[in-house]
Amino acid sequence: MPWYSFWIVLGAMFFVIGFAVLGVQKSGRISVAEAPDVLLAAFVAYAFGAGLATLLAFRRLRRIARMAEELAGVQWQVTFADTGILWKCDIIETFTSWRAIKSIEAWREGVLIWVVQRRAFVIPSRIFADSAARQAFVTAVQTEIERAHGMPS
C-alpha cells in the first residue's frame, strides 16, 4: 500500500461522516436545526480519534527506528533449515517457520523475506557474490515457501 493511503482514508472519512449525518437528518431522527451540532460533534470526535491513532502510529515508528539503530552494527547469523529460518545475534534469537513466510522479493539493494503480520527480514545484496548468486538464493527460498504452503513449484 502506498504511504499516502492512510491520509487519503482520513480525509475521505470527513465526507463519509457528513453524508451519514445528512442521512440521519433526512430519515427524521434529528431535525434540520440539530444537524450542524451533530455534525460538529461527529467531526470533533473523529478528529480526536484520528489524531490519537496517528500519534500512536508515529510513536511506534519512532520506537522501531530506535531499535533499528541499536541493531545496525550487530552481526547476524542466519541459518536456513528444512523447518524454517533461524536469525540470531548476540542479543536476539528468533525462528520463523516456512509456513509463516509469505513471499520473497529481490531488488537492487537486497532481498526481503516477507513474514506474516507485514514484517520483513532484509538480506543486503553485498553478501552475495553477484546477481546470479542472489537470484539462486531467491529461487531456493521461493521453492521452500511453495513447498511449505503446498503450492506447485
Side-chain angles (χ1 to χ4, degrees), residues 25-107:
Q25 186 265 316
K26 291 293 183 185
S27 70
R29 299 197 184 240
I30 61 173
S31 68
V32 174
E34 294 172 318
D37 292 335
V38 171
L39 188 60
L40 178 63
F43 282 154
V44 168
Y46 174 71
F48 179 76
L52 182 61
T54 303
L55 174 71
L56 293 175
F58 281 124
R59 285 186 62 199
R60 177 154 171 76
L61 287 174
R62 237 187 358 239
R63 190 175 328 128
I64 290 170
R66 273 191 237 117
M67 264 181 32
E69 286 175 8
E70 289 175 15
L71 296 174
V74 174
Q75 293 243 329
W76 288 89
Q77 178 184 354
V78 182
T79 307
F80 293 87
D82 290 339
T83 55
I85 304 173
L86 175 67
W87 308 80
K88 68 180 182 178
C89 68
D90 294 339
I91 56 175
I92 295 173
E93 183 174 317
T94 184
F95 176 80
T96 305
S97 74
W98 288 114
R99 297 250 335 129
I101 297 172
K102 296 301 177 193
S103 65
I104 184 166
E105 178 183 334
W107 91 107

